[in-house]
Amino acid sequence: MSSDFIKTEDGTEIFYKDWGPKDAQPIHFHHGWPLSADDWDNQMLFFLANGYRVVAHDRRGHGRSTQVDTGNTMDQYAADASAVVEHLDLRNAIHIGHSTGGGEVARYVARYGQPQGRVAKAVLISSVPPLMLKTEQNPGGTPIEVFDGFRKALAANRAQFYIDVASGPFYGFNRPGAKISQGIIDNWWRQGMMGGALAHYEGIKAFSETDQTDDLKAITVPTLILQGEDDQVVPYKDASVLQHKLIKGSTLKLYPGYPHGAFTIHADVMNPDMLAFIKS
């Protein structure tokens, strides 16, 4: 097994990687905005070496998947993830999502995975649920002006915007004394520029304005919630702390000083934490 595409009901081609023996327990990774399955390279190699079957797909409009002008919503993201799962017939699976991918995992598990009996556990890393946007009901959220700024910067000069995000808040490289990796910055930019501008533009609304409170309340499988306390993209008090309150029986672990993209630059710490949870 290596990589291939599936075609969804609306004709969109979704790229996926599938490594490891079919009889091993599968771990399905869901990437953040505006990246691709490649963002999980470290984790896929790690868990493959620990005896798991590892799967990751490019969200529609991202990476190698079709650059469609429709379906750039959390509902469709979850439906596409389900299409990959059903095509590969993944059962007793662990679903791990980062940022927007965490929202995708929450909606997939609640609407597809649990009802179909395909999910064993879930892991949410620096994830966007329950709701990023500041509203009267969510006063701790991020103001709409911030997301409007994202859209403006993307439309004006997407390439520069992606350099600024990767070299700044995403990995905390803008913090004093940060150990900066140009390779990580370049790889983030590469993944982002592989995808489609329209899908990324519309994806901002999907990850910031989708209320997933009910998704979180519906999750009953064991769930691990991980986030850095210095996350400058998704503030942890309005994300992981609330996720833990809404998902019954969930486990929360916060990392002092870790940024939004912590699972990349602190894989040596977070990979073993995820493995221990999966084995428990």
Side-chain angles (χ1 to χ4, degrees):
M1 291 181 287
S2 181
S3 62
D4 205 345
F5 291 85
I6 67 158
K7 186 170 285 189
T8 65
E9 290 183 357
D10 68 354
T12 302
E13 290 190 326
I14 302 295
F15 172 85
Y16 68 87
K17 305 177 187 181
D18 181 9
W19 304 343
K22 284 188 176 181
D23 60 351
Q25 185 175 23
I27 301 178
H28 190 164
F29 297 91
H30 304 248
H31 65 79
W33 176 97
L35 305 172
S36 74
D38 294 353
D39 207 36
W40 293 108
D41 283 352
N42 180 290
Q43 284 69 35
M44 291 184 72
L45 292 170
F46 174 83
F47 285 102
L48 180 66
N50 278 277
Y52 294 88
R53 176 183 180 182
V54 291
V55 175
H57 70 283
D58 291 352
R59 189 172 299 118
R60 65 170 53 210
H62 296 63
R64 289 138 293 208
S65 294
T66 309
Q67 293 193 17
V68 289
D69 61 355
T70 57
N72 299 306
T73 66
M74 198 63 77
D75 282 348
Q76 190 62 56
Y77 296 164
D80 291 346
S82 181
V84 174
V85 169
E86 292 173 45
H87 175 75
L88 297 175
D89 194 26
L90 303 182
R91 299 180 183 276
N92 193 35
I94 313 296
H95 285 266
I96 300 178
H98 173 249
S99 197
T100 300
E104 181 177 290
V105 166
R107 183 141 296 181
Y108 164 76
V109 170
R111 295 193 179 183
Y112 298 94
Q114 284 183 170
Q116 295 171 354
R118 293 182 176 273
V119 180
K121 295 181 179 181
V123 180
L124 305 180
I125 305 173
S126 308
S127 298
V128 297
L131 175 64
M132 282 196 74
L133 183 67
K134 181 178 181 178
T135 65
E136 288 185 6
Q137 293 73 34
N138 186 40
T142 303
I144 188 66
E145 290 79 13
V146 172
F147 303 113
D148 286 342
F150 289 174
R151 282 181 276 261
K152 182 178 179 181
L154 188 154
N157 188 340
R158 183 166 66 124
Q160 185 61 52
F161 177 47
Y162 288 176
I163 290 173
D164 294 342
V165 172
S167 61
F170 199 91
Y171 296 109
F173 290 158
N174 56 342
R175 295 306 198 200
K179 183 179 178 181
I180 298 171
S181 168
Q182 191 61 46
I184 288 175
I185 294 169
D186 292 347
N187 189 43
W188 200 99
W189 183 88
R190 175 192 67 84
Q191 291 179 71
M193 294 306 293
M194 285 172 66
L198 179 60
H200 293 174
Y201 187 94
E202 294 184 346
I204 295 170
K205 180 179 178 68
F207 74 64
S208 65
E209 298 183 36
T210 304
D211 189 336
Q212 297 193 255
T213 301
D214 290 342
D215 292 333
L216 299 177
K217 289 180 178 179
I219 295 175
T220 58
V221 298
T223 302
L224 176 64
I225 301 166
L226 305 175
Q227 189 164 13
E229 292 182 354
D230 193 33
D231 191 327
Q232 301 172 66
V233 179
V234 180
Y236 79 95
K237 290 182 181 179
D238 200 53
S240 57
V241 172
L242 297 183
Q243 293 159 22
H244 180 48
K245 291 179 180 179
L246 292 167
I247 301 176
K248 187 176 181 180
S250 61
T251 300
L252 171 64
K253 183 163 187 177
L254 299 173
Y255 300 89
Y258 280 22
H260 187 63
F263 75 94
T264 297
I265 61 175
H266 297 294
D268 60 325
V269 174
M270 298 181 74
N271 286 356
D273 286 348
M274 288 188 276
L275 180 61
F277 168 75
I278 290 170
K279 286 186 171 183
S280 65

